[in-house]
């Protein structure tokens, strides 16, 4: 009916009044009204938006200085010490110079401090993401005509040149050496992955993490561990073999190692075995006497220091041709915009990188939040991790996510 009659009393008699129904708005008018309401800005809405994007504004004034400061400072010092040897090791996985790993950890932690919702998660270089970045970097280096047998570490690689027989030279590489082009690829890949993660956060896709079961993540981490061990075996033996990619990469790498095992550097084999033995023994002792240790012993740093001293004064590089990291520069370099052409070429690779990094970051944040009695926002975690990739990509950094090992060390050293 167009109208509904309703009885009204007037002067003691009932009078029927016909009321007109409300005019229904069309779909376009409804969308315009909702958009106008959502875009209307007021001071409380602006404050809530800023606090939502930067949770540190909310919790920092409530920080208990006397109760939290000692544990947090000790935790930060231990993590900073651990990052030094990890930067050298993870740079091998990513095919980059060690200084870029230090840049990455520095900028990522500053951004996550402002935007993250987890109190305990440590964001920075992660072995699995470094391996995924290294696969893309190695592929792009081969397409650019660089020698695939070269590695990023070592003084001899500072003068890397393009392969003369390559027919896939990319314009603008004549003045860019191997390490220069490798970090260009890594930053372009990182920026694309970060944009994907930020877009996922804006679209509020954090609920997807609930469908990632713990056995799935454990199996993924186990497979990544085997792949990482395979990629590091050539450095432990001191042999030069190209990186294999695609299906059967692990099998092909081990076959290449077996074929070239006769060319192994005895000095590298001995030093690798000694360092590995010390690390395994120290880990076993730390696990056995964990309840007596207030602070984890930075065995990795001690091994790096002792090995560096022995290598320098024993002249292992000149006498036995043992490979060394070479000079690591100090300070920061000027920011640079990632190459848009490379970004389009690695857009598909960045999608898988973004999904893996997001899954591990949200899962770790929720796991430690449940164990310590607080809550985290999955969508805000996506935004935080995405910005940890977008902004540092302009400062010669590569992909980051939450790291389990460093997070456990933070909690063990009293991080609040």
């Amino acid at each position: 009916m167009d109208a509904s009659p309703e009885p009204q009393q007037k002067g003691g008699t009932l009078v029927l009044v016909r009321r007109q129904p409300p005019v229904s708005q069309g779909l376009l008018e409804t969308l315009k009204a909702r958009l106008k309401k959502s875009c209307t800005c007021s001071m409380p809405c602006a404050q809530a938006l800023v606090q939502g994007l930067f949770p540190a504004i909310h919790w920092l004034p409530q920080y208990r200085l006397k109760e939290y400061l000692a544990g947090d400072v000790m935790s930060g010092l231990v993590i900073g010490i651990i990052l030094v040897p990890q930067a050298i090791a993870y740079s091998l996985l990513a095919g980059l110079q060690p200084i870029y790993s230090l840049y990455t950890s520095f900028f990522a932690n500053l951004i996550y401090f402002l935007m993250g919702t987890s109190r305990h998660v440590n964001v920075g270089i992660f072995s699995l993401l470094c391996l995924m970045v290294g696969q893309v970097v190695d592929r792009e280096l081969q397409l650019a005509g660089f020698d695939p047998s070269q590695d990023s570490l070592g003084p001899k690689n500072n003068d890397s040149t393009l392969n003369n027989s390559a027919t896939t030279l990319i314009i603008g590489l004549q003045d860019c050496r191997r390490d220069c082009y490798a970090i260009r690829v890594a930053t372009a890949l990182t920026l694309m992955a970060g944009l994907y993660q930020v877009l996922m956060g804006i679209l509020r896709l954090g609920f997807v993490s609930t469908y990632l079961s713990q056995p799935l993540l454990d199996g993924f981490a186990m497979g990544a561990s085997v792949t990482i061990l395979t990629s590091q075996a050539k450095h432990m033996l001191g042999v030069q073999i190209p990186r294999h990619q695609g299906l059967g990469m692990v099998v092909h790498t081990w076959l290449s190692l077996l074929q070239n095992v006769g060319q192994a550097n005895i000095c590298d084999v001995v030093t690798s075995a000694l360092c590995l033995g010390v690390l395994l023994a120290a880990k076993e002792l730390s696990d056995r006497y964990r309840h007596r240790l207030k602070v984890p012993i930075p065995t990795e740093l001690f091994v790096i220091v002792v090995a560096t001293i022995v290598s320098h004064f024993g002249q292992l590089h000149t006498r036995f041709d043992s490979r060394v990291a070479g000079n690591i520069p100090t300070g920061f370099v000027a920011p640079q915009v990632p190459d848009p052409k490379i970004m389009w070429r690695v857009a598909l690779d960045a999608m898988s990188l973004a999904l893996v990094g997001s899954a591990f970051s949200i899962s770790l944040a929720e796991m430690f939040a449940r164990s310590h009695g607080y809550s985290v926002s999955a969508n805000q975690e996506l935004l935080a991790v995405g910005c940890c990739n977008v902004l540092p990509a302009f400062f010669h950094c590569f992909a980051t996510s939450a790291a389990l090992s460093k997070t456990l060390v933070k909690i063990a050293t009293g991080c609040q």
Side-chain angles (χ1 to χ4, degrees):
M1 297 178 59
D2 294 338
S4 58
E6 293 182 5
Q8 290 188 2
Q9 189 172 2
K10 183 178 180 181
T13 61
L14 293 176
V15 179
L16 291 178
V17 178
R18 187 177 298 274
R19 295 183 179 274
Q20 296 294 333
V23 179
S24 60
Q25 294 181 343
L27 179 61
L28 184 59
E29 287 76 9
T30 304
L31 292 178
K32 286 182 178 181
R34 291 185 178 181
L35 183 61
K36 182 179 179 180
K37 183 179 179 180
S38 62
C39 293
T40 301
C41 183
S42 61
M43 186 58 67
C45 292
Q47 292 178 353
L49 179 62
V50 173
Q51 287 186 357
L53 290 177
F54 302 100
I57 299 177
H58 175 72
W59 64 259
L60 195 57
Q62 304 174 4
Y63 185 80
R64 303 176 185 176
L65 197 64
K66 296 182 179 179
E67 183 178 351
Y68 294 162
L69 185 62
D72 289 343
V73 169
M74 177 60 67
S75 174
L77 289 175
V78 173
I79 292 297
I81 291 173
I82 292 177
L83 275 175
V84 176
Q86 277 194 352
I88 299 176
Y90 287 177
S91 62
L92 295 175
L93 296 176
L96 303 169
Q97 290 289 328
I99 188 64
Y100 300 127
S101 297
L102 297 175
Y103 289 161
T104 301
S105 299
F106 177 78
F107 286 106
N109 278 283
L110 287 179
I111 296 173
Y112 190 80
F113 160 75
L114 295 173
M115 302 187 65
T117 59
S118 175
R119 303 177 188 175
H120 299 90
V121 161
N122 180 272
V123 172
I125 50 177
F126 182 42
S127 56
L128 176 58
L129 295 189
C130 290
L131 181 65
M132 297 176 69
V133 170
Q135 295 292 328
V136 179
V137 168
D138 185 66
R139 184 195 67 202
E140 294 298 321
L141 287 175
Q142 293 184 25
L143 293 176
F146 289 97
D147 188 355
S149 63
Q150 293 178 346
D151 291 309
S152 61
L153 291 183
K156 61 183 178 180
N157 293 313
N158 292 337
D159 297 324
S160 300
T161 56
L162 287 171
N163 190 339
N164 294 329
S165 62
T167 59
T168 58
L169 274 177
I170 299 176
I171 299 175
L173 290 184
Q174 289 78 3
D175 58 343
C176 187
R177 295 172 295 186
R178 181 196 185 280
D179 296 331
C180 167
Y181 188 65
I183 190 60
R184 284 189 184 182
V185 175
T187 54
L189 178 67
T190 301
L191 181 56
M192 287 299 299
L195 291 176
Y196 288 145
Q197 291 171 334
V198 170
L199 183 61
M200 291 167 62
I202 294 175
L203 297 178
R204 310 188 70 81
L205 298 179
F207 69 91
V208 178
S209 63
T210 58
Y211 299 99
L212 300 174
S213 62
Q214 192 61 37
L216 174 64
L217 296 176
D218 292 341
F220 197 76
M222 183 61 187
S225 302
V226 174
T227 307
I228 292 170
L229 174 63
T230 302
S231 65
Q232 295 298 288
K234 66 176 183 179
H235 300 293
M236 298 177 63
L237 298 177
V239 297
Q240 294 287 338
I241 60 171
R243 286 193 183 188
H244 297 279
Q245 296 188 2
L247 188 64
M249 182 267 292
V250 173
V251 177
H252 292 155
T253 302
W254 282 107
L255 290 177
S256 298
L257 287 172
L258 293 176
Q259 294 174 358
N260 296 273
V261 70
Q263 303 176 5
N265 189 306
I266 302 300
C267 181
D268 286 344
V269 173
V270 173
T271 54
S272 298
L274 289 176
C275 293
L276 188 60
V278 172
L279 291 174
L280 292 176
K283 183 179 183 303
E284 183 66 25
L285 292 175
S286 298
D287 293 340
R288 184 172 299 180
Y289 299 102
R290 180 182 301 175
H291 59 284
R292 298 184 181 180
L293 297 175
K294 296 183 179 180
V295 178
I297 300 176
T299 312
E300 295 88 352
L301 181 65
F302 293 154
V303 170
I304 287 290
V305 172
V306 174
T308 302
I309 294 174
V310 172
S311 176
H312 176 69
F313 290 101
Q315 298 181 353
L316 302 184
H317 175 63
T318 57
R319 294 174 60 185
F320 304 104
D321 196 25
S322 180
R323 298 176 62 244
V324 296
N327 296 324
I328 299 178
T330 58
F332 295 95
V333 294
Q336 184 178 9
V337 179
D339 193 341
K341 296 180 180 179
I342 303 178
M343 290 174 59
W344 285 112
R345 288 205 304 273
V346 300
L348 188 60
D349 302 289
M351 190 174 298
S352 60
L353 192 71
L355 292 175
V356 172
S358 301
F360 270 91
S361 298
I362 297 177
S363 299
L364 288 179
E366 292 179 345
M367 179 178 68
F368 288 108
R370 286 194 299 267
S371 61
H372 289 83
Y374 63 94
S375 61
V376 295
S377 172
N379 296 315
Q380 180 61 27
E381 286 296 307
L382 282 174
L383 289 175
V385 176
C387 290
C388 287
N389 287 323
V390 171
L391 299 179
F394 294 87
F395 294 89
H396 301 83
C397 303
F398 56 94
T400 59
S401 72
L404 176 61
S405 59
K406 291 190 285 294
T407 303
L408 292 176
V409 171
K410 284 178 63 176
I411 295 176
T413 51
C415 173
Q416 299 293 335

